[in-house]
Amino acid sequence: MNQRRTRLYEGKAKILYEGPEPGTVIVHFKDDATAFNAQKKEVIDGKGVINNRICEFIFTKLNDLGIPTHFIKRLNMREQLVHAVDIIPLEVIVRNVAAGTLSTRLGIEEGTPLPRTLIEFCYKKDELGDPLVSEEHIMAFDWARPQELDDMMTMAIRINDFMSGLFMGIGIKLVDFKLEFGRQYEGDMVRTVLADEISPDSCRLWDIETDEKMDKDRFRRDLGGLVEAYQEVARRLGIMNGNEPVERSKPVLVKSD
Ligand code: CDP
């Protein structure tokens, strides 16, 4: 039976519910896809189930490597239990290859390998379209403490090293990705932990051989085949075999012959 739960927050792709114990939260992955600051919206059957699994896989590996994340455990097809955190109002973007806003902003052709990994910060403010900001702004407006900024940069580099290798090993190029961090309170102590999600919604993943996109750009750019691409990422990671049905919310028509 479904227990009545307290909804804490509903975002574009996830809903947060109060967890079973103090200091815990349940993250529910929806099938909603949004882009361009939610001007483009669609429900893509099965996306939430795959993202929940991919995120579980990556966060578990990061926890094992000693990179603290909010992730505790996966609860079911669409939900995971996480530590409650206060989200630091910054998006940390890590880039290995030029794409997206970096390409449009600086006129660098998509697919150009960058001379070094770039880390960018955007201020999390939907009304403003999450503008790019500098460390100066972050310090001046106290969006993060100097120690937190240091923690985020160090973790971002370690996460990039781990994930680049992980994806390289399964024939996928990690072009760029977005991270969000939170403050986890433990008694009088506070520590910076990786929060939110890592999934093909928040990364650019290109097939190494063909440069085919296996991420949310399939939706942003109307390329189609999003669930199939996400499923292929999961299959290569060894976490879902390609034939496993994703939990669809609508009946699927089958041929009767
Ligand atoms: O994705 P878009 O072109 O709007 O922006 P970007 O700055 O080029 O995005 C860099 C990476 O961060 C991509 O992998 C995006 O999917 C991800 N991102 C995200 O997950 N959420 C955002 N609000 C912005 C970027």
Side-chain angles (χ1 to χ4, degrees):
M1 220 200 299
N2 255 343
Q3 276 184 313
R4 190 178 289 272
R5 295 189 297 194
T6 310
R7 183 185 296 220
L8 301 174
Y9 171 81
E10 175 150 8
K12 285 175 272 201
K14 297 190 287 293
I15 307 174
L16 303 187
Y17 296 100
E18 211 168 70
E21 278 147 36
T24 64
V25 168
I26 294 169
V27 180
H28 177 104
F29 286 75
K30 298 194 287 184
D31 282 341
D32 301 31
T34 65
F36 313 118
N37 206 6
Q39 289 172 50
K40 181 178 163 94
K41 286 187 206 168
E42 207 177 300
V43 175
I44 301 180
D45 273 355
K47 178 174 81 79
V49 173
I50 309 176
N51 280 355
N52 188 24
R53 294 292 293 266
I54 294 177
C55 186
E56 171 198 19
F57 182 86
I58 294 175
F59 276 18
T60 302
K61 298 248 186 235
L62 292 175
N63 280 341
D64 291 348
L65 283 174
I67 299 170
T69 82
H70 73 167
F71 181 82
I72 303 173
K73 62 175 180 182
R74 184 169 62 84
L75 296 171
N76 55 50
M77 296 284 274
R78 286 185 182 274
E79 293 178 334
Q80 46 185 246
L81 185 68
V82 305
H83 294 289
V85 298
D86 283 348
I87 291 285
I88 296 171
L90 295 168
E91 297 192 335
V92 180
I93 313 260
V94 182
R95 300 180 184 275
N96 299 308
V97 175
T101 55
L102 179 86
S103 290
T104 43
R105 208 177 334 113
L106 302 181
I108 302 173
E109 196 186 340
E110 279 215 339
T112 311
L114 296 170
R116 47 167 283 187
T117 298
L118 294 179
I119 299 187
E120 295 174 349
F121 296 95
C122 295
Y123 178 43
K124 262 174 75 68
K125 201 80 177 162
D126 280 344
E127 309 91 277
L128 302 174
D130 302 333
L132 185 69
V133 294
S134 70
E135 289 184 37
E136 285 279 284
H137 298 106
I138 296 170
M139 291 299 122
F141 299 116
D142 204 23
W143 291 323
R145 313 297 305 164
Q147 180 62 52
E148 291 171 333
L149 192 59
D150 205 55
D151 291 345
M152 290 191 287
M153 306 249 273
T154 310
M155 282 194 261
I157 294 296
R158 290 185 63 199
I159 294 166
N160 185 47
D161 286 346
F162 163 70
M163 290 217 301
S164 296
L166 173 76
F167 283 113
M168 176 87 75
I170 55 169
I172 293 174
K173 203 189 295 178
L174 179 62
V175 171
D176 58 30
F177 57 97
K178 182 222 37 166
L179 302 172
E180 292 186 25
F181 293 87
R183 303 182 177 108
Q184 187 185 336
Y185 295 92
E186 288 165 2
D188 289 342
M189 305 285 285
V190 54
R191 64 171 182 162
T192 315
V193 303
L194 180 66
D196 193 51
E197 71 176 299
I198 296 182
S199 74
D201 269 6
S202 61
C203 302
R204 281 198 173 91
L205 303 170
W206 295 357
D207 183 88
I208 281 178
E209 299 287 321
T210 63
D211 271 353
E212 195 177 344
K213 298 184 197 322
M214 308 174 78
D215 54 59
K216 206 168 96 175
D217 274 347
R218 300 210 71 84
F219 166 70
R220 293 190 191 95
R221 303 180 187 191
D222 292 320
L223 300 172
L226 180 133
V227 164
E228 291 73 10
Y230 284 28
Q231 230 164 3
E232 174 62 11
V233 173
R235 191 193 64 78
R236 290 197 202 177
L237 286 171
I239 50 182
M240 274 172 137
N241 79 51
N243 303 320
E244 197 172 332
V246 289
E247 187 193 63
R248 304 240 175 206
S249 52
K250 279 183 276 182
V252 178
L253 287 176
V254 287
K255 269 191 170 168
S256 57
D257 57 351

